[in-house]
C-alpha cells in the first residue's frame, strides 16, 4: 500500500489508518548547522527502519497556493503584478519540498515525506508503550504554512540579504523563494528588497555597528470577512515590522525609516495593484546582543489592529506578542482540545500568552454553562492582546474569565486551586521544575489546598509580592450568575508541547509518581519539512487501570458462574 499523501485540490479532511514504513534518512553532504530565527527546534532522529499503524489526518485545505514572486526580481521600476502574486502557481510533486534553498537554508531538514516527520515513528512507539495505542497525527498544510517569520537583514543596499542565520555565525542565507513561507511573505520580502535598493537603505553591519535595518518580522493575517472563507488564507495580508537601528522615531535616521514605510504602503497598500501589506510597524533596537526586538514599538502606516480567527474566536495579535507560525495547524489542535473539556469546567491556562486557549474554551458552545477560565502569563505585554480579544467574545457568554501577570514557577500550587482542568502550553524547555513537583505531589496537596489561598480569591492580609503583583495586573470578567467558590485541584491535565524531548522528560516524571496516567495523545505537523512534532496529551488523575487486570477479573467471574451452574 502506498503511503498516504495529501494532494492539491479542494479543501479535504481525510482520516486513514495505514501501515507506513518510516522514511529512510536522507544522507546530506556535511555542512554547518544553523541557528533558527524562525525554525523549530531539532530533535532526535531514528536510525533504523520500522513499521507501525498510525492514524494520519489531513486537517486543512491543501489546495495549491500561489508561488512567491519569482527570483530574480523584476525591474525596480515595475510595480508588483497581481498575476505574479496570485495566479502564477506551480504544484509541488507528491509530498516533496522541492525548494531551491534546501541545500543552503537551515529552516528545513528533509525534502521528502513532508506529511510524515522522522520523529513520528518514535512518538508512536513512545505512546504505545504508555498504553495509548490510538495515537493520531494531523498532517495539515505542507507548503506555504508559515504565517509568521522573523528574518535577519544583512548585505548591502544594492544587494540585501533577507533570511536565516547560520549557527555560530551571523552569516545570513537569503531565502526569497521559501516554500514554507506563506507566499505573501515572500512577496513582501521582495517588495522590501526593492525599497531598500531604491531608497539606498543600508542593512545593519554588526562589526561596524552601522546601518539601519536589522531584522524584519512578517506576519500574515488570513482574517478578512469581506472575502469568502475559502479565499481568506490565499489572500492573507502581511504585517511588516521593521527592526530599526535607532533609539526612537526621533533619531536622525527617522526620515529614511518613514520613506521606507511609505514605499511599502504605496506599492503594497490598498491603492496598489495588489493589496499585499496590512500595516507597517517599527521596532527600535540598538543593543549589540542577539535579542531581536527592543522595547519601543511604533505603528507607522496601515491598520493598527491585527486579527486572526482560530479556535472559534477572533484573536488580537500585536507585533510584540507571541503568535503561532502555523495558523491552520493551531486551529486544528484547538478544535481537538475542545473535546476534552466538559460542560461547566473550571479551567486554568498556564503559560497562557494572550489567553487564546482559555478564551477559545470559554467561547465554545459546549463550554458556556457557568464556566470559569483563568489565564496566567509571565509576559506583561500580553495583557493588551487579552483585553482586545475578550471585547470580541460573544455577548451571550456567561463565564468568569481572568488574566493574571505572574510567574507560574513561584508557588504553582496556588494557581491550581479552584481548577477542574489544567491546560499548559510551555516553551520548548518544558514545564518549570516547581510545577512538575506540584503535579507529582498533587494527591498530598489536596488537604493543603483547602487552606491555601488561590491568587484569584480575596485576602485581607496578603503580603506575598508575586500574588499582589498578579492581582494588580489582572483583568477580571466576572460571570453574571453567582458561582460557588471552587477549592478543588485539577483532575485533568492537558499538555500542549512544542518540544518533543522536554515533553518526554516531563511525561516520564508525571507518570512515575503514579499521580497521573496518560489517557490520550495526538500529534500535529506544525513544521512540515523539519524533525519537529507538536503534541496534545491528556493526563488523568490516578495511576490508571491495567488492561491485564481487567481481563483477569472477567475470567474469574466467568469461572465462578460455571461452578454455580
Amino acid at each position: 500500500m502506498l503511503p498516504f499523501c495529501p494532494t492539491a485540490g479542494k479543501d479535504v479532511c481525510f482520516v486513514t489508518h495505514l501501515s507506513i514504513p518510516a522514511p529512510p534518512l536522507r544522507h546530506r553532504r556535511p555542512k554547518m548547522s544553523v541557528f533558527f530565527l524562525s525554525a523549530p527546534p531539532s530533535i532526535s532522529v531514528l536510525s533504523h527502519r520500522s513499521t507501525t499503524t498510525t492514524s494520519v489526518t489531513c486537517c486543512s485545505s491543501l489546495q495549491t497556493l500561489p508561488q512567491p514572486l519569482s527570483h530574480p526580481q523584476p525591474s525596480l521600476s515595475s510595480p508588483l503584478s497581481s498575476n505574479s502574486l496570485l495566479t502564477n502557481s506551480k504544484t509541488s510533486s507528491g509530498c516533496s519540498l522541492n525548494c531551491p534553498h534546501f541545500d543552503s537554508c537551515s529552516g528545513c531538514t528533509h525534502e521528502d515525506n513532508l506529511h510524515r516527520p522522522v520523529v513520528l515513528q518514535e512518538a508512536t512507539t513512545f505512546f504505545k508503550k504508555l498504553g495509548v495505542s490510538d495515537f493520531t497525527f494531523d498532517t495539515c498544510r505542507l507548503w506555504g504554512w508559515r504565517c509568521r517569520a522573523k528574518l535577519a537583514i544583512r548585505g548591502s543596499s544594492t544587494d540585501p540579504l533577507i533570511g536565516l542565520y547560520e549557527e555560530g555565525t551571523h552569516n545570513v542565507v537569503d531565502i526569497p523563494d521559501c516554500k514554507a513561507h506563506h507566499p505573501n511573505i515572500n512577496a513582501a520580502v521582495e517588495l522590501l528588497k526593492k525599497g531598500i535598493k531604491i531608497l539606498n537603505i543600508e542593512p545593519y553591519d554588526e562589526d561596524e555597528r552601522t546601518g539601519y535595518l536589522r531584522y524584519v518580522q512578517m506576519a500574515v493575517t488570513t482574517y478578512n470577512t469581506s472575502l469568502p472563507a475559502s479565499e481568506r488564507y490565499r489572500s492573507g495580508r502581511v504585517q511588516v515590522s521593521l527592526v530599526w537601528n535607532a533609539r526612537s522615531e526621533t533619531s536622525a535616521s527617522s526620515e529614511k525609516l518613514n520613506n521606507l514605510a511609505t514605499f511599502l504602503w504605496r506599492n503594497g497598500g490598498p491603492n496598489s495593484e495588489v493589496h499585499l501589506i496590512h500595516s507597517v510597524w517599527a521596532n527600535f533596537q540598538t543593543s549589540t546582543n542577539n535579542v531581536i526586538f527592543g522595547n519601543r514599538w511604533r505603528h507607522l502606516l496601515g491598520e493598527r489592529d491585527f486579527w486572526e480567527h482560530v479556535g472559534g474566536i477572533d484573536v488580537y495579535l500585536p507585533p510584540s506578542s507571541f503568535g503561532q507560525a502555523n495558523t491552520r495547524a493551531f486551529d486544528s489542535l484547538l478544535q481537538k482540545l475542545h473535546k476534552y473539556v466538559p460542560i461547566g469546567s473550571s479551567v486554568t491556562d498556564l503559560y497562557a500568552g494572550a489567553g487564546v486557549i482559555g478564551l477559545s474554551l470559554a467561547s465554545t458552545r459546549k463550554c458556556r454553562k457557568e464556566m470559569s477560565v483563568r489565564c496566567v502569563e509571565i509576559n506583561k505585554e500580553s495583557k493588551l492582546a487579552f483585553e482586545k480579544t475578550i471585547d470580541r467574545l460573544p455577548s451571550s457568554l456567561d463565564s468568569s474569565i481572568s488574566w493574571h501577570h505572574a510567574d507560574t514557577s513561584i508557588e504553582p500550587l496556588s494557581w491550581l486551586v479552584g481548577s477542574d482542568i489544567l491546560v499548559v502550553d510551555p516553551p520548548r524547555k518544558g514545564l518549570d521544575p516547581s510545577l512538575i513537583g506540584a503535579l507529582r505531589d498533587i494527591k498530598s496537596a489536596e488537604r493543603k489546598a483547602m487552606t491555601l489561598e488561590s491568587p484569584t480569591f480575596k485576602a485581607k492580609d496578603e503580603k506575598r509580592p508575586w500574588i499582589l503583583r498578579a492581582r494588580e495586573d489582572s483583568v477580571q470578567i466576572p460571570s453574571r450568575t453567582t458561582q460557588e467558590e471552587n477549592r478543588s485541584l485539577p483532575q485533568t491535565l492537558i499538555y500542549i508541547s512544542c518540544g518533543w524531548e522536554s515533553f518526554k522528560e516531563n511525561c516520564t516524571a508525571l507518570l512515575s509518581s503514579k499521580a497521573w496516567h496518560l489517557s490520550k495523545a495526538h500529534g500535529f505537523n506544525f513544521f512540515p519539512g523539519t524533525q519537529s512534532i507538536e503534541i496534545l496529551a491528556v493526563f488523568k488523575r490516578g495511576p490508571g487501570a491495567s488492561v491485564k487486570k481487567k481481563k483477569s477479573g472477567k475470567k474469574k467471574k466467568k469461572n465462578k458462574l460455571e461452578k454455580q451452574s
Side-chain angles (χ1 to χ4, degrees):
M1 182 179 291
L2 292 175
F4 168 74
C5 179
T7 56
K10 299 180 179 179
D11 289 6
V12 289
C13 184
F14 298 129
V15 178
T16 182
H17 297 269
L18 300 174
S19 180
I20 309 176
L25 294 179
R26 177 183 175 86
H27 297 286
R28 298 171 60 181
R29 64 176 180 269
K31 63 175 184 178
M32 293 187 66
S33 56
V34 202
F35 170 73
F36 293 97
L37 277 176
S38 299
S42 61
I43 48 184
S44 60
V45 182
L46 293 180
S47 60
H48 62 278
R49 294 176 58 89
S50 58
T51 60
T52 187
T53 300
T54 305
S55 174
V56 182
T57 306
C58 174
C59 66
S60 65
S61 64
L62 288 169
Q63 69 270 22
T64 303
L65 284 174
Q67 290 287 71
L69 293 176
S70 57
H71 185 76
Q73 303 168 21
S75 169
L76 295 180
S77 60
S78 63
L80 290 176
S81 166
S82 59
N83 290 332
S84 62
L85 176 61
L86 299 176
T87 62
N88 181 22
S89 63
K90 181 174 66 176
T91 304
S92 296
S93 61
C95 290
S96 298
L97 185 63
N98 293 331
C99 182
H101 310 303
F102 180 74
D103 287 329
S104 58
C105 173
S106 62
C108 297
T109 58
H110 60 273
E111 288 184 285
D112 303 316
N113 297 307
L114 299 186
H115 64 298
R116 187 179 176 85
V118 176
V119 75
L120 179 57
Q121 177 64 48
E122 179 188 343
T124 304
T125 303
F126 176 80
F127 288 119
K128 188 174 182 180
K129 288 181 179 179
L130 297 178
V132 180
S133 57
D134 57 349
F135 172 72
T136 64
F137 183 70
D138 290 10
T139 63
C140 302
R141 185 180 294 275
L142 300 182
W143 307 276
W145 52 266
R146 180 173 282 281
C147 290
R148 183 173 293 259
K150 297 182 183 73
L151 304 171
I153 303 177
R154 297 296 184 266
S156 65
S157 60
T158 57
D159 185 23
L161 305 175
I162 302 180
L164 304 180
Y165 283 140
E166 293 180 359
E167 187 179 6
T169 75
H170 275 198
N171 298 327
V172 172
V173 177
D174 199 38
I175 51 173
D177 298 317
C178 175
K179 289 294 185 70
H181 286 167
H182 188 292
N184 288 357
I185 288 182
N186 290 339
V189 167
E190 181 182 347
L191 180 61
L192 177 59
K193 283 185 176 181
K194 187 175 176 182
I196 291 172
K197 293 178 179 180
I198 291 177
L199 300 174
N200 192 30
I201 306 293
E202 283 296 330
Y204 182 61
D205 186 312
E206 293 178 70
D207 295 330
E208 301 295 331
R209 299 183 184 178
T210 57
Y212 305 110
L213 201 50
R214 299 170 64 122
Y215 302 95
V216 63
Q217 177 178 264
M218 301 282 189
V220 176
T221 171
T222 63
Y223 180 69
N224 187 349
T225 55
S226 65
L227 294 174
S230 60
E231 298 179 17
R232 292 174 189 173
Y233 192 91
R234 187 170 180 264
S235 303
R237 294 170 185 167
V238 185
Q239 177 193 71
V240 180
S241 299
L242 306 170
V243 182
W244 200 254
N245 186 34
R247 293 186 179 276
S248 70
E249 64 275 21
T250 60
S251 300
S253 60
S254 60
E255 183 178 355
K256 282 183 173 291
L257 172 61
N258 291 329
N259 289 342
L260 181 57
T262 301
F263 174 88
L264 294 173
W265 189 245
R266 183 186 302 123
N267 292 276
N271 296 325
S272 60
E273 186 174 351
V274 177
H275 189 178
L276 172 68
I277 305 299
H278 170 275
S279 56
V280 184
W281 289 71
N283 176 266
F284 299 95
Q285 171 67 292
T286 58
S287 172
T288 58
N289 58 31
N290 291 329
V291 177
I292 294 177
F293 293 134
N295 295 323
R296 193 176 184 86
W297 290 85
R298 284 293 178 268
H299 171 248
L300 301 179
L301 291 167
E303 300 179 48
R304 177 178 288 274
D305 292 345
F306 182 95
W307 293 93
E308 191 53 86
H309 189 81
V310 291
I313 62 173
D314 294 344
V315 178
Y316 176 77
L317 291 171
S320 58
S321 68
F322 170 79
Q324 290 286 350
N326 195 330
T327 306
R328 287 291 182 86
F330 183 52
D331 182 68
S332 176
L333 184 148
L334 289 178
Q335 299 297 337
K336 186 93 67 176
L337 185 151
H338 291 170
K339 300 176 182 179
Y340 297 107
V341 179
I343 295 173
S345 301
S346 295
V347 177
T348 293
D349 180 10
L350 300 184
Y351 310 95
V356 176
I357 297 173
L359 294 178
S360 172
L361 288 171
S363 66
T364 54
R365 189 172 301 173
K366 60 186 286 188
C367 300
R368 289 185 179 175
K369 181 182 177 182
E370 300 177 0
M371 186 176 184
S372 170
V373 173
R374 180 174 52 190
C375 303
V376 184
E377 168 59 33
I378 194 172
N379 181 9
K380 192 175 181 178
E381 297 299 321
S382 299
K383 181 180 178 181
L384 173 62
F386 178 85
E387 292 174 323
K388 289 261 192 180
T389 300
I390 60 177
D391 286 342
R392 287 206 181 183
L393 292 181
S395 58
S396 59
L397 186 66
D398 186 17
S399 298
S400 173
I401 304 172
S402 60
W403 183 93
H404 307 269
H405 173 225
D407 185 349
T408 56
S409 67
I410 302 176
E411 286 197 19
L413 181 60
S414 62
W415 291 107
L416 306 186
V417 177
S419 304
D420 303 315
I421 294 177
L422 177 66
V423 179
V424 294
D425 185 10
R428 293 171 186 172
K429 66 179 182 179
L431 301 178
D432 290 299
S434 58
L435 178 57
I436 286 284
L439 292 171
R440 283 171 55 89
D441 298 331
I442 197 167
K443 188 175 181 180
S444 62
E446 294 275 14
R447 185 175 300 176
K448 183 181 178 181
M450 299 305 295
T451 58
L452 182 67
E453 186 215 351
S454 170
T456 55
F457 300 135
K458 295 182 179 179
K460 295 180 180 179
D461 301 317
E462 178 58 64
K463 295 180 180 180
R464 290 171 293 178
W466 53 91
I467 299 298
L468 294 174
R469 213 164 33 240
R471 286 177 181 163
E472 181 182 349
D473 296 328
S474 67
V475 180
Q476 302 277 347
I477 309 296
S479 172
R480 292 188 292 271
T481 58
T482 303
Q483 298 184 0
E484 295 183 3
E485 183 177 315
N486 182 2
R487 306 297 292 174
S488 64
L489 290 180
Q491 296 295 317
T492 301
L493 167 65
I494 301 178
Y495 191 138
I496 301 169
S497 169
C498 61
W500 173 241
E501 293 299 328
S502 61
F503 171 80
K504 287 192 298 181
E505 293 177 5
N506 291 169
C507 180
T508 302
L510 289 172
L511 298 182
S512 65
S513 69
K514 305 298 182 182
W516 301 88
H517 68 274
L518 186 61
S519 175
K520 290 286 184 180
H522 306 282
F524 298 85
N525 200 8
F526 270 35
F527 303 99
T530 72
Q531 299 169 23
S532 182
I533 186 173
E534 195 86 2
I535 295 296
L536 171 65
V538 181
F539 296 85
K540 296 287 187 179
R541 285 279 294 275
S546 171
V547 177
K548 291 184 178 180
K549 287 182 180 180
K550 284 184 178 180
K551 289 183 178 180
S552 61
K554 290 181 180 179
K555 186 176 181 180
K556 288 180 180 179
K557 187 176 180 181
K558 184 178 179 181
N559 292 337
K560 187 177 180 180
L561 291 174
E562 289 176 352
K563 289 180 179 180
Q564 290 176 352
S565 61

